[in-house]
Amino acid sequence: MIELKDVHKYFGDLHVLKGINLKVSNGEKVVIIGPSGSGKSTLIRCMNLLEKPSKGKVIIDDTDITLPKAPVTKIRQSVAMVFQQFNLYPHKTVLENLTLAPVLIKKVPKKEAEESGMAYLERVGLKDKANVYPAQLSGGQQQRVAIARALNMKPEIILFDEPTSALDPEMIQEVLDVMIDLASGGITMVAVTHEMGFARRVADRVIFVDKGSILEEGSPEHFFTNPTNERTKMFLSRIVH
């Protein structure tokens, strides 16, 4: 479903990703963890070419999207992304935020986009907020709307870039609960997160990134109980109590 081959990324002289090789299978749930500044957000942003690799290939569903004439816009329709910041349009209602992309980009009839949008709002527990504006919602509610918006594009893959890091502590769980529910379905999911409980519960595979390289990967059980890399052990000793 997703394959990164020898992906490097430079920002000027800064070598942020150093030869990343990674495969994510159809339906797999992969959680990427690591210290701040390790390159994990850049890594996930390379998966839909929000960041273009300086070198290497990104292959989505057998299509190399780093090629000059690759159908990047079309591929992005099947790869949804949820960011740290909610990026909702403040002048549009919750439901309008959900229907905009399906109608404009996928040419879905407005009524159909509204019906599926309402279904996804119900799934994230916000059906009663369809006609309010984002400013009237809490941060946790806005992030749940952002997830519903991503789902309303009917993606095959959903990427999460630290979706709870901008939230107050008491709002984090409501977003994680939605992500846990989502993970129980067949969708392919890659999440960059600091939420270790989520990684333990949801991940098929946990990947540890530090200084632009993948240092360790394995099942949550391996990762949290028997990591082999010394840097991984040090990182976990500081954050898992």
Side-chain angles (χ1 to χ4, degrees):
M1 195 52 114
I2 307 171
E3 186 173 5
L4 276 63
K5 289 184 173 180
D6 193 30
V7 167
H8 291 256
K9 179 66 182 179
Y10 289 87
F11 293 108
D13 293 332
L14 191 63
H15 196 181
V16 178
L17 296 179
K18 302 172 181 173
I20 296 287
N21 291 291
L22 176 63
K23 275 186 180 179
V24 180
S25 304
N26 191 13
E28 192 177 14
K29 319 294 179 248
V30 173
V31 172
I32 301 171
I33 66 171
S36 295
S38 60
K40 51 194 191 300
S41 280
T42 303
L43 169 58
I44 203 168
R45 289 170 70 89
C46 282
M47 289 182 181
N48 66 353
L49 241 57
L50 284 176
E51 294 290 355
K52 197 167 192 316
S54 307
K55 180 189 167 198
K57 294 181 176 181
V58 179
I59 298 162
I60 305 282
D61 228 359
D62 300 325
T63 300
D64 182 352
I65 62 172
T66 52
L67 292 173
K69 292 187 176 176
V72 176
T73 305
K74 186 169 188 302
I75 292 288
R76 278 199 186 131
Q77 291 179 25
S78 63
V79 185
M81 188 149 192
V82 177
F83 300 90
Q84 296 178 34
Q85 303 300 334
F86 324 121
N87 296 347
L88 300 173
Y89 293 106
H91 61 289
K92 293 193 176 292
T93 66
V94 164
L95 186 57
E96 285 169 344
N97 267 280
L98 263 68
T99 57
L100 198 63
V103 171
L104 288 180
I105 299 169
K106 291 188 121 172
K107 308 301 181 198
V108 174
K110 189 175 180 204
K111 186 170 185 297
E112 186 183 320
E114 286 178 344
E115 285 173 359
S116 63
M118 289 301 290
Y120 286 120
L121 284 176
E122 185 167 19
R123 184 166 178 183
V124 302
L126 292 171
K127 192 175 182 181
D128 61 329
K129 303 293 186 185
N131 297 312
V132 308
Y133 290 89
Q136 297 167 269
L137 301 175
S138 69
Q141 288 172 327
Q142 288 188 55
Q143 191 61 293
R144 282 150 61 195
V145 169
I147 294 171
R149 177 180 60 181
L151 293 174
N152 207 27
M153 284 293 280
K154 308 288 197 309
E156 295 172 22
I157 300 164
I158 190 160
L159 309 175
F160 291 94
D161 184 9
E162 299 197 30
T164 59
S165 65
L167 299 176
D168 293 335
E170 67 266 27
M171 294 176 186
I172 289 172
Q173 194 58 47
E174 66 186 65
V175 173
L176 292 177
D177 287 344
V178 169
M179 293 170 66
I180 289 163
D181 174 63
L182 194 55
S184 65
I187 199 163
T188 306
M189 182 188 285
V190 183
V192 171
T193 183
H194 293 290
E195 300 297 330
M196 297 300 137
F198 173 78
R200 282 177 189 263
R201 183 165 174 183
V202 164
D204 297 311
R205 191 159 39 121
V206 180
I207 290 170
F208 179 66
V209 176
D210 189 31
K211 295 180 181 173
S213 299
I214 293 174
L215 297 188
E216 184 141 13
E217 59 183 295
S219 68
E221 186 178 0
H222 156 82
F223 196 86
F224 290 108
T225 61
N226 194 29
T228 52
N229 187 285
E230 287 305 317
R231 180 68 186 92
T232 315
K233 290 177 185 175
M234 193 199 317
F235 177 78
L236 289 172
S237 73
R238 288 174 176 170
I239 59 163
V240 177
H241 303 291

